[in-house]
């Protein structure tokens, strides 16, 4: 056991905390949600209207009251389904087994995709 | 007691550690840690065996133990995509541990912390590439913390083990 071990541990924890703060600080409430399946954009939908979006026969994303959650997925671990609803820019729910990523976009989210 | 090992002894020990690593993976597979609610949370028990190989045998043997474990896990209870994440995590983790150990500035716990953190970082990077979205970075802070904590716990355990069986002496 060396002193450096402790520094390393504290350093990593600090870095994680700062990263968390940084991600949090720069993210306001989102405008739209982008759904991708293994990198291909399936669609971008506004958060302002409630919607049920089936994803590739294996999952279902729901927009409810400006927040997005994975309502259903046929994946074995169900981590994505248990993930809390997201609404802030940059927040993402992923389903690794199905390769689905659900990500909140901010202003210009539509432009970024359409333009 | 002399601590030099014949080649046969080394190979035998490496095989034993590979079996141990695989057994530990299997134990983790049986335990539903997903229920903790942190995506991708793992105790990283198999790293105990990999690190034992690293400290008792050397970098090459540690890589072999890790590789054998990965392939066995794939064959028995893995999926191909899962395998890619595992490889990304294992490679980055082991590379980092070897480098950190070589600097001689860190003890077993520190090397283990780096291993845990880099394993999770590697998997996150792999997910970013495969899913083609940078948004997954929002999972990173939590995974860095769990990697550091589980790494520290494993490192503490390994520190006690190595204190009793001794580290590798010069050959």
């Amino acid at each position: 056991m060396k002193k450096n071990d402790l520094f390393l541990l504290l350093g990593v924890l600090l870095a994680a905390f700062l990263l968390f703060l940084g991600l949090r600080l720069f993210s306001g409430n989102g405008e739209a949600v982008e759904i991708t399946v293994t990198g291909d954009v399936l669609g971008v939908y506004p958060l302002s209207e409630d919607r049920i979006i089936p994803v590739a026969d294996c999952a279902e994303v729901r927009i409810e009251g400006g927040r997005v959650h994975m309502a259903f997925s046929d994946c074995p671990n169900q981590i994505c389904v248990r993930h809390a609803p997201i609404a802030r820019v940059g927040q993402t729910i992923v389903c690794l087994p199905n390769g689905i990523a659900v990500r909140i976009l901010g202003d210009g989210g539509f432009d970024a995709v359409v333009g | 007691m002399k601590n030099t090992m014949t080649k046969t002894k080394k190979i035998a020990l490496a095989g034993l550690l590979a079996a141990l690593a695989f057994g530990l993976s299997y134990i983790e597979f049986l335990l539903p840690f997903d229920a903790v609610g942190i995506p991708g949370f793992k105790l990283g028990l198999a790293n105990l065996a990999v690190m034992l190989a690293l400290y008792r045998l050397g970098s090459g043997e540690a890589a072999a133990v890790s590789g054998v474990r990965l392939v066995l896990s794939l064959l028995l209870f893995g999926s191909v995509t899962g395998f890619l994440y595992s490889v990304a995590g294992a490679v980055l983790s082991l590379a980092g541990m070897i480098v950190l150990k070589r600097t001689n500035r860190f003890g077993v716990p520190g090397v283990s912390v780096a291993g845990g953190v880099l394993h999770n970082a590697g998997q996150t990077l792999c997910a970013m590439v495969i899913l083609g979205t940078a948004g997954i970075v929002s999972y990173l802070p939590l995974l860095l913390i769990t990697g550091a904590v589980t790494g520290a716990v494993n490192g503490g355990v390994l520190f006690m083990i190595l204190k009793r069986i001794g580290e590798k002496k010069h050959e």
Side-chain angles (χ1 to χ4, degrees):
Chain A
M1 179 68 142
K2 297 181 183 176
K3 240 185 185 164
N4 281 339
D5 295 346
L6 198 62
F7 291 150
L8 181 70
L9 179 63
L10 294 178
V12 170
L13 293 180
L14 186 67
F17 182 66
L18 289 179
L19 186 63
F20 173 76
L21 274 189
L23 289 172
R24 192 78 196 213
L25 223 59
F26 291 105
S27 64
N29 280 331
E31 298 284 324
V33 58
E34 176 195 66
I35 302 174
T36 56
V37 183
T38 55
D40 301 322
V41 178
L42 179 84
V44 178
Y45 310 89
L47 294 183
S48 47
E49 43 188 286
D50 291 0
R51 192 192 295 260
I52 296 172
I53 308 147
V55 182
D57 291 335
C58 60
E60 188 181 286
V61 175
R62 279 193 197 183
I63 305 173
E64 274 170 7
R67 308 198 311 164
V68 183
H69 69 277
M70 191 78 89
F72 166 80
S73 168
D74 66 359
C75 63
N77 59 34
Q78 297 292 303
I79 288 174
C80 52
V81 176
R82 279 201 302 271
H83 196 293
I86 53 174
R88 303 172 76 91
V89 177
Q91 280 190 314
T92 307
I93 297 176
V94 290
C95 175
L96 290 182
N98 284 328
I100 301 167
V102 179
R103 184 180 183 204
I104 304 291
L105 303 176
D107 291 332
F110 288 102
D111 301 339
V113 172
V114 177
Chain B
M1 195 189 95
K2 267 177 93 181
N3 216 339
T4 50
M5 274 196 247
T6 63
K7 198 170 182 193
T8 321
K9 227 174 174 177
K10 276 184 136 186
I11 292 172
L13 183 54
L16 203 69
L17 288 173
L20 180 62
F22 178 59
L24 290 170
S25 301
Y26 186 56
I27 290 175
E28 278 214 18
F29 174 71
L30 294 176
L31 298 173
F33 277 112
D34 288 345
V36 182
I38 302 171
F41 179 78
K42 284 262 174 188
L43 289 178
L45 292 177
N47 199 37
L48 282 174
V50 175
M51 280 190 70
L52 264 177
L54 180 62
Y55 275 87
R56 288 285 295 186
L57 296 165
S59 316
E61 286 83 352
V65 167
S66 184
V68 168
R69 177 192 82 82
L70 284 171
V71 172
L72 286 178
S73 303
L74 168 70
L75 292 178
L76 262 95
F77 41 79
S79 63
V80 177
T81 25
F83 183 64
L84 287 177
Y85 295 110
S86 303
V87 171
V91 168
L92 197 64
S93 164
L94 186 62
M97 289 194 296
I98 290 172
V99 169
L100 230 60
K101 181 174 178 289
R102 289 246 168 101
T103 63
N104 268 326
R105 287 168 175 234
F106 295 91
V108 176
V111 171
S112 179
V113 165
V117 169
L118 288 174
H119 192 274
N120 286 354
Q123 294 203 317
T124 309
L125 286 176
C126 184
M128 283 162 94
V129 171
I130 289 181
L131 299 188
T133 166
I136 299 164
V137 76
S138 61
Y139 283 83
L140 197 54
L142 199 55
L143 285 174
L144 289 182
I145 292 172
T146 59
V149 172
T150 55
V153 172
N154 286 344
V157 172
L158 200 70
F159 181 70
M160 289 188 275
I161 294 174
L162 284 172
K163 217 162 90 181
R164 280 162 181 76
I165 65 173
E167 268 185 47
K168 178 174 66 165
K169 301 287 185 298
H170 294 290
E171 291 163 43

